[in-house]
Amino acid sequence: MNSPILPVLEQLNKVVLGKPFQVKLAVVCLLAKGHLLIEDLPGMGKTTLGQAMAKVFGLDFQRIQFTSDILPADIVGANIFDREKSAFEFHPGPVFSQLVLADEINRATPKAQSALLEAMEEQQVTVEGNTYELPNPFFVIATQNPTHQIGTYPLPESQLDRFLFKINLGYPDPELEKVLLKGESGRTKMATLESLLDLETLKKLQQQVSELTVTEHLLQYVMDLIQVTRQSPDFAHGLSPRAGLAIVSAAKAWAFVDGRDYVLPEDIQQVFVASARHRLQSIKTSSASTIELIKELMDDVAVPA
């Protein structure tokens, strides 16, 4: 089948230059109903990617700047007393949007970070005992600065596990960076982007992704990959069952973007690192070594024919 997502990728790649793999992962994450964590230095295009995705997919967009003094109420909203009604009335926060950009999430305290936990997992928030539904779809793109930078707090494992993918954008190629220096940045091209999908179409695509076929052999392949992470002496612990569900969902979405209604081993391999890297704690210190270890483990697992 022809993928309806190809025009979307073409538009996004005009704004986020030279990062087609990362852009595709971001789109796959949305189609799989996941959430995306982007770790990189400031100025790498993280915010631009989030704004471009909202525009192309026709989603409501809110950006939350996380700081050390931000409170949970600044994110989810609060009950405010209405003198005319002599009653408290709930005023929703910026999390009540279809695409939420949680910018520099690790500059907030763990208490503020936790305000997103229920939202990302249950698609709802609870304030003073009352539960409020969030929009559907609900997609969080969180950015974080490298943890060695001053003023950052590490994301707890429970928070990390809510993200389907963790990716890096990285420095652009020199030739593309020269284009940026000439003033042809992604932000200047943002005005030319058009909404290519409406809300109902996106929901239908997400439903189609969930209905894709995964054979028993491929499910066993995912199980073998998970088991090898649990047996590896290089990691503090292995992947959880939730991680396995995330890998299968992401592989389905990758296959769908490639125009197929069935999953191949290559789809699992393409999404495995982004699905696993933030869920595995390496005994070594650098995140680069974690990625290398994951790739080595993948090489040790037999690929089904």
Side-chain angles (χ1 to χ4, degrees):
M1 63 178 181
N2 295 322
S3 174
I5 299 300
L6 292 181
V8 171
L9 294 175
E10 291 175 3
Q11 287 290 312
L12 292 175
N13 284 317
K14 291 178 182 178
V15 174
V16 184
L17 301 179
K19 304 295 177 183
F21 181 70
Q22 291 91 330
V23 167
K24 187 174 180 179
L25 282 174
V27 171
V28 163
C29 192
L30 174 58
L31 292 176
K33 299 182 181 180
H35 302 289
L36 179 65
L37 177 62
I38 309 176
E39 180 179 276
D40 230 319
L41 296 168
M44 292 295 187
K46 303 184 293 294
T47 303
T48 301
L49 174 59
Q51 293 173 329
M53 288 189 66
K55 195 165 185 179
V56 172
F57 281 99
L59 300 175
D60 294 334
F61 175 81
Q62 285 283 353
R63 176 179 176 270
I64 307 173
Q65 180 63 54
F66 279 69
T67 57
S68 59
D69 58 351
I70 194 171
L71 300 174
D74 298 325
I75 300 168
V76 301
N79 288 318
I80 298 177
F81 188 73
D82 188 326
R83 291 188 177 183
E84 294 183 0
K85 298 179 180 179
S86 297
F88 283 93
E89 184 175 331
F90 178 67
H91 288 245
V95 76
F96 284 83
S97 190
Q98 293 161 344
L99 195 158
V100 176
L101 178 66
D103 215 359
E104 297 185 306
I105 187 173
N106 62 334
R107 290 203 179 278
T109 62
K111 182 177 181 180
Q113 292 175 13
S114 68
L116 280 176
L117 276 175
E118 182 185 11
M120 294 171 67
E121 183 66 20
E122 306 293 338
Q123 205 167 321
Q124 65 183 31
V125 296
T126 302
V127 179
E128 296 182 11
N130 295 317
T131 299
Y132 303 92
E133 297 292 328
L134 292 171
N136 180 28
F138 176 68
F139 182 45
V140 174
I141 299 179
T143 74
Q144 70 171 9
N145 297 325
T147 53
H148 64 265
Q149 290 198 341
I150 296 173
T152 59
Y153 298 84
L155 296 183
E157 286 80 358
S158 58
Q159 180 79 66
L160 287 171
D161 201 37
R162 264 61 177 186
F163 291 101
L164 179 64
F165 287 156
K166 177 182 176 182
I167 66 173
N168 302 90
L169 294 179
Y171 293 115
D173 293 331
E175 288 302 315
L176 291 174
E177 190 166 8
K178 189 181 295 183
V179 172
L180 297 177
L181 295 177
K182 290 179 180 178
E184 301 175 32
S185 67
R187 290 186 182 276
T188 60
K189 296 180 180 179
M190 193 78 70
T192 65
L193 289 182
E194 298 179 358
S195 177
L196 301 179
L197 299 175
D198 57 33
L199 197 58
E200 291 306 313
T201 301
L202 174 58
K203 290 180 181 180
K204 289 179 181 178
L205 295 179
Q206 290 178 326
Q207 181 62 32
Q208 291 175 26
V209 166
S210 67
E211 294 172 353
L212 257 62
T213 303
V214 183
T215 65
E216 289 291 331
H217 292 297
L218 290 181
L219 291 177
Q220 185 59 51
Y221 181 45
V222 174
M223 282 297 304
D224 292 341
L225 289 168
I226 292 173
Q227 288 297 328
V228 79
T229 66
R230 295 173 183 175
Q231 297 164 1
S232 173
D234 296 315
F235 298 115
H237 51 77
L239 292 175
S240 67
R242 179 186 288 171
L245 292 172
I247 294 165
V248 172
S249 297
K252 289 180 180 181
W254 188 278
F256 182 84
V257 171
D258 279 353
R260 285 179 278 105
D261 58 0
Y262 56 91
V263 177
L264 297 174
E266 290 82 358
D267 303 320
I268 297 170
Q269 294 164 355
Q270 292 286 359
V271 302
F272 187 73
V273 172
S275 303
R277 54 179 295 197
H278 56 298
R279 294 181 165 97
L280 294 174
Q281 182 180 351
S282 173
I283 302 301
K284 300 179 181 179
T285 55
S286 71
S287 59
S289 65
T290 301
I291 295 174
E292 292 166 2
L293 288 171
I294 293 172
K295 291 179 177 179
E296 290 175 4
L297 291 181
M298 290 174 62
D299 292 338
D300 294 336
V301 178
V303 180

